Amino acid sequence: MKFNHKHLLGLETLTREEIELVLENAAGFKEIFTRSIKKVPTLRGKTVVNLFYENSTRTRTSFEIAAKRLSADVINFSISTSSVAKGESLLDTVHTIESLGADFIVMRHSCPGAPLLLARKCRAAVINAGDGPHEHPTQGLLDAYTIKEKKGRFEGLKVVILGDITHSRVARSNIWALTKLGAKITVAGPNTLLPKPFEKLGVRLCSNLQEAIKDADVINILRIQMERQRANLFPSIREYTLLYGLTEERLKWAKKDVLIMHPGPINRGVEISQPVADGEHSVILEQVTNGVAVRMAVLYLLSGGEENE
Amino acid sequence: MNDILIKNGRVVDPSQQIDEVRDVLISDGVIKDMGKNLKKKGAEEFDAAGMVVAPGLIDMHTHLREPGREDEETIYSGTRAAAAGGFTSICCMPNTRPVCDSRTGVKYILSRVHEVGVVNVYPVGAITVGQEGQQITEFGDLISAGAVAFSDDGHPVMNAEIMRRALEYTAMFDVPILDHCEDLNLSNIGMMHEGFIQSLLGLAGIPAAAETIQVGRDIELLEFFGGRLHICHVSARGSIHLIRRAKKRGVNVTCEATPHHLTLTDALVKETNFDTNTKVKPPLTSEEDRQELIKGLQDGTIDVIATDHAPHTDKDKDLVYIDAPFGLIGMETAIPILFTNLVHKKLITVSQLVEKMSLNPARILKIERGTLKAGVVADVAIIDPERRHTINANNFFSRSRNTPFEGEKCRGAVDTTIVGGRIVYSKGKILEEKCK
């Protein structure tokens, strides 16, 4: 099977088979990590540009390592050091980057749809590394990969996404991937952070934590941001933690073998308590490792899925 | 000035309840006669067989951008776009730079129209100085300079007390307030209609209540304090319900809807992958809202179709969705889009369309137009209801190209536009020599 996409803009537009293909390839690449030389020549001579309009050390670094392990040349283009700060438009920046010979542009932007604009206007393959609250496809894929690795299946799994769903690209990409793969999704958090129309996607909305995580196989916890309090979406971080902070006691409401996931960076003691973050159920650091494998798979598949040479 | 004899057209004039094949004779810039087999020696004959002959269209809601943003539109280009769209009279909104909030502003527009315009332009004055929502403008002086209505379009009056005073004060002159209804606290940083599509795209939402709350507020103010209220670009079904109920109990409120709200929905934002030509205020709403708008057209709740022609340059629209300005252009696409999507689908009749695009605007603005009655200034739109063509923004007379209808296959087009007895536009061309 071939991966028939030029760009990776979101998971909404991928089929179940295509998602499974990425996960299979990721498993192959992960195997490389156990070798003493963690590098393959797949993308030798190709250039990957990380174009980040928003700060993100984790995702940028993960893409950088993924590309380097595939032997690509990597350039990091971030807002503070670029002419973007001087008022250059996104399209002018991109045309400049293209002229430098980029084969892949990995883009992070605060505006939903920005990578789609980019994909319409340039020849390079575009990978969405997060566009506002819209999508973060490689995060969705690495979360799916992690679940598959730990649980061995998706069918019938009860996955809870807990936190600020409204403003979360991670939630959206997770929902697209996991529902296609057969999991049952519950989104949980205060009403003000749960988009009501998600019910139309077959997602359950629940603002009571105990009900939400009852019998959960997986709890994916999202970072809660201070600015949402300022917008009156909840009264205070303190109250958020009182109602939705995941502690060891509350974890007992879920299944015994529940997986605790978090896309990071985590607010210890806010959305997740210290013992839960570091506890036996937590796979937070494995998610980071898997992120590299998944991103290698994505770069590989977008390049045509063949070794160059 | 030549006499013009328009032969064998389907004359649609709701002011006289006429919808039949007749000839129309224009002499000395006014409608002279209407009937069968008219003859006039020396008159220029225009064969309108198969075409609709209507009183010139009136667009109550346009932005001509002059003075201030002549890169987006000018009075020169905007009036030509109007003529190409069959509009013989247009109102221009006051959100120029500087804001049209004084006699000087109104006089400037009218002098530019006199110099370079090809259709009639009726300036709309600001409700408040600088459209800042604080101090009402000199309504009396603005009216004497030529303003026909008042609006803080784009910058809604958030203070109910000020809206109250504006309604009370303008009641003395019997001119309408053209009311852009938007609660800015609710619309906040919203980019599109709040609902299913928005929830998927992750763009900040504008809830329908941002509009309906202001519609409700201003209808209440109107009932309590008098005046004349015309609600602009209604988009939410809740607003239609409020206006319908108000009209039933005899409140003096009128309203308009735009061709884009009547034919497009929020789904387009997704279908076009966040094309910024779908970004407009009020936002494109849901299919349920759109259906209610059509019902409102049919039952008379919606009095007027106006375009809210809002030009923006490619440079400004070629940005990410959040950074692009709100607004799209509409004068040159209105008739093709409305014929294709409403008239040919039998949702409204040609007569209803002409009523809402000519007669009703003239009545609301109290201008002696919108009719083909003998003795009235000869403003005429001749429409070919069957012409098939594809919308191509490169052919627009507007300086801007920000249309969501690019590439749309249409049935129906404006053939010829006559202003004050002169043919100013015909078959794709502005006839400059005839304009002055």
Side-chain angles (χ1 to χ4, degrees):
Chain A
M1 186 186 167
K2 268 223 151 195
F3 192 72
N4 274 325
H5 293 274
K6 186 179 178 206
H7 313 284
L8 179 67
L9 301 171
L11 299 185
E12 184 187 355
T13 46
L14 295 196
T15 63
R16 175 184 181 137
E17 290 71 27
E18 288 167 333
I19 292 168
E20 284 169 344
L21 183 66
V22 176
L23 303 187
E24 278 162 31
N25 277 277
F29 284 114
K30 194 175 176 187
E31 186 264 323
I32 294 170
F33 299 176
T34 58
R35 301 182 191 169
S36 62
I37 296 173
K38 301 178 182 58
K39 202 160 186 168
V40 290
T42 315
L43 294 186
R44 199 164 60 197
K46 301 277 183 189
T47 304
V48 177
V49 174
N50 282 327
L51 177 59
F52 276 60
Y53 284 84
E54 257 184 1
N55 286 330
S56 158
T57 313
R58 306 169 157 257
T59 304
R60 188 185 54 67
T61 310
S62 179
F63 269 106
E64 187 170 348
I65 293 173
K68 283 180 170 167
R69 287 187 179 169
L70 293 169
S71 304
D73 297 315
V74 184
I75 293 158
N76 290 315
F77 209 91
S78 67
I79 185 155
S80 52
T81 56
S82 78
S83 50
V84 173
K86 298 171 195 158
E88 186 177 73
S89 83
L90 182 139
L91 289 178
D92 285 334
T93 305
V94 166
H95 292 317
T96 305
I97 290 172
E98 261 199 317
S99 303
L100 293 169
D103 299 294
F104 297 89
I105 299 178
V106 177
M107 184 196 221
R108 161 73 57 97
H109 200 287
S110 59
C111 180
L116 286 80
L117 172 67
L118 188 56
R120 273 209 299 278
K121 305 272 185 174
C122 82
R123 293 182 305 273
V126 176
I127 300 175
N128 181 0
D131 57 336
H134 178 222
E135 283 233 43
H136 191 354
T138 54
Q139 181 73 42
L141 290 166
L142 80 88
D143 288 345
Y145 181 88
T146 306
I147 293 170
K148 192 183 175 198
E149 200 177 54
K150 295 290 168 189
K151 296 286 180 191
R153 66 187 168 100
F154 295 101
E155 220 55 65
L157 281 188
K158 187 178 163 185
V159 178
V160 178
I161 309 172
L162 170 63
D164 180 359
I165 310 300
T166 297
H167 301 93
S168 175
R169 50 185 167 229
V170 176
R172 285 179 179 77
S173 288
N174 264 268
I175 289 168
W176 292 123
L178 298 176
T179 51
K180 282 172 192 175
L181 292 166
K184 290 258 167 263
I185 309 275
T186 297
V187 293
N191 271 346
T192 42
L193 298 177
L194 301 181
K196 200 91 174 81
F198 275 18
E199 283 173 347
K200 286 194 194 174
L201 300 174
V203 170
R204 184 172 76 116
L205 273 63
C206 187
S207 54
N208 178 305
L209 183 62
Q210 183 166 3
E211 264 175 50
I213 66 175
K214 184 170 178 284
D215 299 326
D217 296 292
V218 177
I219 306 176
N220 197 346
I221 304 160
L222 305 175
R223 180 183 168 81
I224 204 74
Q225 286 174 330
M226 282 299 295
E227 63 193 87
R228 310 299 173 212
Q229 177 191 330
R230 286 194 291 276
N232 276 300
L233 291 166
F234 51 82
S236 66
I237 291 284
R238 178 177 171 273
E239 168 143 325
Y240 183 87
T241 306
L242 285 174
L243 294 179
Y244 299 102
L246 198 63
T247 59
E248 280 179 302
E249 277 82 80
R250 289 171 172 177
L251 205 52
K252 290 179 191 144
W253 297 331
K255 279 200 183 144
K256 275 207 169 80
D257 60 348
V258 66
L259 286 191
I260 297 300
M261 302 172 68
H262 193 304
I266 61 180
N267 286 317
R268 286 171 185 271
V270 179
E271 71 265 4
I272 184 168
S273 74
Q274 180 106 347
V276 175
D278 302 330
E280 53 172 334
H281 299 282
S282 169
V283 291
I284 295 172
L285 292 174
E286 282 168 82
Q287 286 175 269
V288 177
T289 307
N290 292 339
V292 178
V294 161
R295 288 175 178 120
M296 287 173 79
V298 166
L299 285 164
Y300 165 71
L301 290 169
L302 289 180
S303 73
E306 289 155 31
E307 306 270 320
N308 71 340
E309 224 105 18
Chain B
M1 195 188 300
N2 285 347
D3 291 352
I4 303 172
L5 182 56
I6 305 167
K7 297 286 290 179
N8 299 318
R10 173 183 166 192
V11 175
V12 178
D13 182 6
S15 76
Q16 307 178 75
Q17 277 112 42
I18 291 171
D19 182 352
E20 60 184 53
V21 174
R22 290 194 186 184
D23 301 339
V24 177
L25 177 64
I26 296 169
S27 194
D28 296 326
V30 299
I31 304 289
K32 192 81 183 173
D33 198 2
M34 191 193 292
K36 305 222 157 141
N37 303 314
L38 292 187
K39 292 203 169 59
K40 178 71 196 267
K41 258 198 191 142
E44 177 183 343
E45 287 207 3
F46 185 100
D47 179 13
M51 298 202 196
V52 169
V53 177
L57 308 180
I58 301 171
D59 193 345
M60 286 181 67
H61 198 137
T62 77
H63 299 268
L64 297 182
R65 303 294 190 221
E66 185 177 349
R69 281 306 299 267
E70 290 85 351
D71 58 329
E72 296 178 327
E73 197 76 282
T74 60
I75 286 164
Y76 180 95
S77 63
T79 58
R80 278 160 181 73
F87 296 100
T88 54
S89 297
I90 58 179
C91 290
C92 59
M93 284 294 177
N95 59 337
T96 46
R97 294 179 196 172
V99 168
C100 182
D101 58 6
S102 67
R103 160 174 289 271
T104 319
V106 174
K107 284 294 183 196
Y108 175 79
I109 291 165
L110 292 174
S111 77
R112 289 296 291 154
V113 171
H114 182 72
E115 288 163 19
V116 300
V118 299
V119 303
N120 304 296
V121 176
Y122 293 95
V124 176
I127 298 173
T128 61
V129 175
Q131 290 193 310
E132 285 169 358
Q134 301 293 321
Q135 174 64 57
I136 57 172
T137 56
E138 295 170 331
F139 295 124
D141 197 31
L142 280 152
I143 291 166
S144 75
V148 295
F150 295 94
S151 181
D152 273 2
D153 186 51
H155 305 271
V157 179
M158 282 296 288
N159 184 327
E161 157 80 359
I162 289 168
M163 185 55 95
R164 170 203 167 157
R165 297 305 176 198
L167 282 165
E168 274 182 328
Y169 193 89
T170 53
M172 299 194 293
F173 310 104
D174 198 22
V175 295
I177 297 278
L178 312 182
D179 193 8
H180 172 125
C181 289
E182 176 187 355
D183 183 307
L184 294 172
N185 292 314
L186 273 176
S187 59
N188 197 12
I189 57 163
M191 296 285 142
M192 70 175 291
H193 175 65
E194 185 167 319
F196 180 61
I197 302 288
Q198 171 268 334
S199 79
L200 300 185
L201 298 184
L203 288 165
I206 301 175
E211 176 180 288
T212 55
I213 279 174
Q214 292 294 79
V215 170
R217 182 197 79 173
D218 291 347
I219 287 172
E220 286 295 303
L221 291 173
L222 182 68
E223 279 193 88
F224 272 102
F225 305 111
R228 284 178 57 205
L229 186 67
H230 174 82
I231 307 211
C232 296
H233 43 54
V234 173
S235 71
R237 56 188 186 274
S239 304
I240 298 288
H241 298 154
L242 287 166
I243 295 163
R244 187 180 284 133
R245 283 207 294 270
K247 283 185 164 189
K248 259 191 196 138
R249 53 179 196 271
V251 180
N252 193 12
V253 61
T254 56
C255 74
E256 75 196 22
T258 70
H260 48 279
H261 289 109
L262 289 165
T263 60
L264 303 175
T265 66
D266 57 350
L268 194 66
V269 183
K270 187 160 186 295
E271 283 162 24
T272 61
N273 289 329
F274 299 84
D275 182 350
T276 55
N277 289 322
T278 62
K279 184 176 172 182
V280 63
K281 271 195 180 175
L284 299 175
T285 42
S286 71
E287 180 61 18
E288 290 91 329
D289 292 295
R290 193 182 79 85
Q291 291 299 338
E292 192 61 36
L293 290 183
I294 288 171
K295 228 183 266 172
L297 270 189
Q298 292 165 339
D299 71 12
T301 304
I302 296 172
D303 306 271
V304 169
I305 299 175
T307 68
D308 194 6
H309 180 87
H312 292 293
T313 61
D314 288 352
K315 172 179 162 284
D316 286 344
K317 277 290 193 180
D318 261 351
L319 298 172
V320 296
Y321 210 86
I322 289 177
D323 294 339
F326 290 95
L328 45 93
I329 55 174
M331 288 196 285
E332 293 174 80
T333 50
I335 284 295
I337 291 298
L338 294 168
F339 265 80
T340 306
N341 294 292
L342 299 182
V343 174
H344 288 310
K345 291 187 178 163
K346 306 212 179 305
L347 294 169
I348 59 170
T349 63
V350 176
S351 184
Q352 281 175 310
L353 187 75
V354 173
E355 186 184 11
K356 290 171 201 301
M357 295 183 77
S358 184
L359 177 61
N360 288 349
R363 284 182 173 163
I364 291 165
L365 297 165
K366 294 197 180 300
I367 57 178
E368 290 263 330
R369 300 182 189 274
T371 171
L372 296 175
K373 278 184 188 150
V376 170
V377 177
D379 289 351
V380 183
I382 301 173
I383 298 163
D384 181 347
E386 297 301 327
R387 189 181 305 163
R388 289 177 191 270
H389 61 110
T390 303
I391 304 282
N392 178 353
N394 290 323
N395 298 335
F396 287 171
F397 288 91
S398 170
R399 291 207 75 176
S400 290
R401 295 183 289 188
N402 53 309
T403 174
F405 296 114
E406 179 70 11
E408 200 78 3
K409 291 188 174 34
C410 290
R411 179 175 157 213
V414 173
D415 183 87
T416 296
T417 306
I418 299 172
V419 179
R422 293 184 170 90
I423 298 178
V424 298
Y425 170 84
S426 194
K427 299 180 180 23
K429 290 195 173 67
I430 296 288
L431 308 178
E432 297 287 347
E433 71 280 8
K434 297 205 179 178
C435 292
K436 285 291 149 198

